[in-house]
Amino acid sequence: MDRPLIETKNLCKYFKTHRGMLHAVEDVNMKIFEGKTLGVVGESGCGKSTLGRTVLRLHQATSGEVLFEGENILKYSRQQMNRIHRNMQMIFQDPYSSLDPRMSIRALITEPLTVLSGKEKESSKEMDDRVSRIMEMCGLPRHYSNLYPHELDGGMRQRVGLARAMILDPKFIVCDEPVSALDVSIQAQILNLLMDLQDRHGLSYMFITHDLAVVKHISDEIMVMYMGQVVEYAPSAELFRNHVHPYTRALLNSIPTIDLSRRNRERVTITGEVSSPINPAPGCRFAPRCPFATEECKQKHELKEISPGHFASCTKGVN
Amino acid sequence: MAKLLEIKDLNVRYHTDDSIVYAVNNLSLSLEHGEKLGLVGETGAGKTTLALSILQLLPNKVGKIESGSIKYDGEELIGQGEGYMLGLRGRRISMIFQDPMTSLNPTQTVGDQVLEVLRLHFPQLTKEEKDAKVDEILQLVGIPASRKNEYPHQFSGGMKQRVVIAMALIAEPELLLADEPTTALDVTIQAQIMELMRRLKDKFNTAVILITHDLGVVAEFCDKVSVVYAGRVVEHGTVEQIFEAKEKHPYTMGLINCIPDLSKDEERLKPIPGRMVDPRIIPTGCCFADRCPHCMEICKKQPPEIHDLDGHLIMCHLFDAENGGKA
């Protein structure tokens, strides 16, 4: 297959604030093929969630294109979007606040169908079958259908969130930090489930997270973002073996590990914090925190292909 | 010299309208001066309850220490009056809470909040001396003294956590209880905060109990580890014993297997099946039995004993003599 399922071209999303324009997503180009996962990593406030939402048109893009199966969906009407949203779903970080506490699990799972079909109520036998099939697929016991969200723990709620997305039989799911709020043992259960569903249904994921260990595990390709800019973009194995951007290196070095031999490694912790993305200066936005920054860095920021499929905006400090 | 902290057979219960929650069960642990202990476990394991018990800050009427003893520097804490505890809290034992966003007062400048600790515990100092100390500690945690007249909302999450650490350490306590101090922060900021805690710990020789669910943070920071499950310490040892010894409690093993390993390419993760036992029920056998891959008949009937392998404590039937003493 040469045509990606989802593609963005120079996608930008700015927000208007009283202090000026907030550049949340700047000039992002990405491709996700059928059955593949793109991991998007970065620290809080780097624009990764905004990117996910803009791709689904939950935010209106400022400029650029989002192509779904080759068609620019940013030009679609509301009705056309309704149709396309069957194929593009999202699951959210917080399983506690993303489910309506007054709806039963069954009502929650069928809601996306009733919304998109426009029918008030669906109570046919066919629907029952469909719901129980989806619940089983997502590892939810059948008797849960009459329970309410408060009766479930975080892991089970996240499964309900996933069932809500899966009932529409989508091709593409944006997963926005789906396991960040869960315990490690539950986190592993959900990640395995996501991978099983991908194998069985050929789903494509855009997997947004700040946890590099998780992203390595699930992704085919990884995109590292810093303040709205993509700083490095490479196949997963390549990125972990051969990361070149100073920010990626600092990020990977910051992960605590249980390998005691790495305990006394030299830590390249970066100092300082993320500065403001409002009316940012041109050039690399990591420059103020970067130990290798030069005058030139403040001028331009450009992704270069350093090896086939591996893009990075900077290779300073690599020996 | 007496141990800094010695907890013996502690039982803590929460009494709700219709049930009793067995939060901490027969838990024992001890801590030397200047030691760094990691307390690891999943949500609901009783880690925070333990910290609140030490400070006698359990929710009034609902939470109750049923039995056991908590000795701090040789003195029993259970049954001490509020006056005694007030002299201890913030002065000799400090706590850092998980969420730096909610543990600061939004209507007070950060400088005032740090100063408050001195006002309470060191009333004999002059105003100039206090101000100098506040400036010094803020400098130490990496906040320019010029920002001390700002309010919490003007600080980022990492900076707020630095303020909280400054408040906890200004009285130079002997023990610091850090309850998930970096969970709400990004990894690069987490690395900065852990580095800061390491430096300050060396400077003041403070003992630290680090409560976390992140085994990586524990491996990098602590000397010793206690793994807590359903309100019990199921395994205790040095970091080397916990992460490198072959003998492990099946739960610890499970926790380690859950973490995606950056140095290996694995297809699937090995999650621990099922969920934590209902804390309202006291299991007749081992509390981990129904999730354990090595569960035997005896595990369902009889609670396991603690086995001592050169100071490496494991509470599991796999190490019983009739099972050959090893896994």
Side-chain angles (χ1 to χ4, degrees), chain A residues 11-30:
Chain A
L11 190 67
C12 294
K13 173 66 196 170
Y14 303 160
F15 293 100
K16 217 185 255 165
T17 71
H18 63 279
R19 282 186 294 158
M21 277 305 209
L22 189 152
H23 294 227
V25 172
E26 189 88 87
D27 205 12
V28 172
N29 294 293
M30 61 170 206

Side-chain angles (χ1 to χ4, degrees), chain B residues 4-258:
Chain B
L4 180 63
L5 179 73
E6 199 160 17
I7 299 176
K8 271 227 166 77
D9 300 322
L10 186 71
N11 283 289
V12 183
R13 311 271 177 268
Y14 290 109
H15 296 265
T16 63
D17 284 344
D18 47 8
S19 60
I20 299 173
V21 176
Y22 299 88
V24 172
N25 304 291
N26 287 328
L27 186 144
S28 301
L29 71 94
S30 65
L31 192 71
E32 306 278 352
H33 286 267
E35 207 171 47
K36 293 174 282 185
L37 172 75
L39 217 54
V40 198
E42 290 172 87
T43 316
K47 311 182 295 280
T48 302
T49 301
L50 181 65
L52 295 178
S53 308
I54 296 171
L55 288 169
Q56 313 267 310
L57 283 176
L58 288 169
N60 216 352
K61 287 188 180 131
V62 178
K64 238 174 143 180
I65 296 177
E66 218 69 6
S67 64
S69 108
I70 302 176
K71 282 207 172 105
Y72 185 71
D73 218 3
E75 292 249 11
E76 179 61 53
L77 294 188
I78 297 175
Q80 290 285 2
E82 190 62 12
Y84 181 86
M85 290 310 298
L86 280 177
L88 213 62
R89 290 182 206 135
R91 172 68 192 86
R92 297 180 64 198
I93 309 178
S94 286
M95 181 147 177
I96 300 175
F97 294 91
Q98 174 167 3
D99 187 357
M101 323 297 161
T102 54
S103 46
L104 292 171
N105 181 344
T107 65
Q108 253 188 337
T109 65
V110 299
D112 277 348
Q113 298 191 48
V114 179
L115 187 66
E116 191 181 16
V117 182
L118 291 181
R119 260 198 231 118
L120 278 170
H121 294 293
F122 300 92
Q124 73 279 14
L125 294 179
T126 65
K127 191 175 179 310
E128 286 71 32
E129 282 172 324
K130 284 183 201 152
D131 282 343
K133 270 196 100 154
V134 170
D135 289 356
E136 188 196 324
I137 193 91
L138 285 177
Q139 201 80 57
L140 213 55
V141 298
I143 296 175
S146 59
R147 293 195 67 183
K148 73 175 182 181
N149 293 323
E150 293 183 15
Y151 290 87
H153 75 265
Q154 293 167 289
F155 288 78
S156 65
M159 288 302 248
K160 277 187 207 152
Q161 197 60 295
R162 285 166 197 264
V163 176
V164 175
I165 292 175
M167 286 168 71
L169 291 179
I170 192 162
E172 300 185 17
E174 298 136 347
L175 174 62
L176 177 66
L177 304 173
D179 188 1
E180 309 253 9
T182 57
T183 306
L185 306 174
D186 281 314
V187 274
T188 60
I189 308 297
Q190 165 171 296
Q192 289 175 15
I193 296 286
M194 293 316 291
E195 187 58 44
L196 170 69
M197 288 192 39
R198 208 172 283 133
R199 234 181 46 233
L200 294 177
K201 198 239 135 227
D202 291 343
K203 185 171 157 64
F204 300 123
N205 194 33
T206 315
V208 181
I209 296 185
L210 178 70
I211 297 174
T212 179
H213 63 266
D214 189 335
L215 286 170
V217 172
V218 167
E220 297 207 343
F221 183 77
C222 299
D223 309 314
K224 292 201 174 149
V225 186
S226 288
V227 182
V228 186
Y229 187 77
R232 298 159 181 86
V233 174
V234 295
E235 183 168 359
H236 172 85
T238 62
V239 277
E240 289 81 13
Q241 285 169 334
I242 296 286
F243 292 109
E244 288 176 350
K246 254 205 248 91
E247 296 81 15
K248 280 190 179 81
H249 191 283
Y251 177 60
T252 314
M253 196 70 152
L255 279 183
I256 292 176
N257 284 338
C258 284

Side-chain angles (χ1 to χ4, degrees), chain A residues 42-44 144 153 156 183-186 188-189 191-192 195-196 210 212-214 216-217 240 247 250-252 254-258 260-263 265 267 269-273 289, chain B residues 42-43 156 159 186-192 195 198 214-217 219-222 239-240 243-244 255-256 258-262 264-269 271-275 291:
Chain A
E43 294 176 89
S44 41
Y144 275 27
D153 64 18
M156 283 297 166
D183 268 319
V184 274
S185 67
I186 308 296
Q189 293 175 7
L191 288 175
N192 280 346
M195 287 188 287
D196 287 344
H210 66 273
L212 281 150
V214 167
K216 174 180 186 204
H217 192 74
F240 278 86
Y247 178 65
L251 203 58
L252 281 169
S254 302
I255 310 173
T257 86
I258 57 168
L260 296 184
S261 63
R262 289 191 65 216
R263 220 179 172 193
R265 70 178 183 272
R267 289 186 174 80
T269 46
I270 36 177
T271 50
E273 301 196 19
R289 291 172 85 187
Chain B
E42 290 172 87
T43 316
S156 65
M159 288 302 248
D186 281 314
V187 274
T188 60
I189 308 297
Q190 165 171 296
Q192 289 175 15
E195 187 58 44
R198 208 172 283 133
D214 189 335
L215 286 170
V217 172
E220 297 207 343
F221 183 77
C222 299
V239 277
E240 289 81 13
F243 292 109
E244 288 176 350
L255 279 183
I256 292 176
C258 284
I259 311 171
D261 190 339
L262 282 178
K264 285 193 215 110
D265 289 307
E266 292 158 87
E267 259 308 291
R268 282 181 72 84
L269 296 168
I272 306 175
R275 275 168 286 161
R291 297 175 79 182

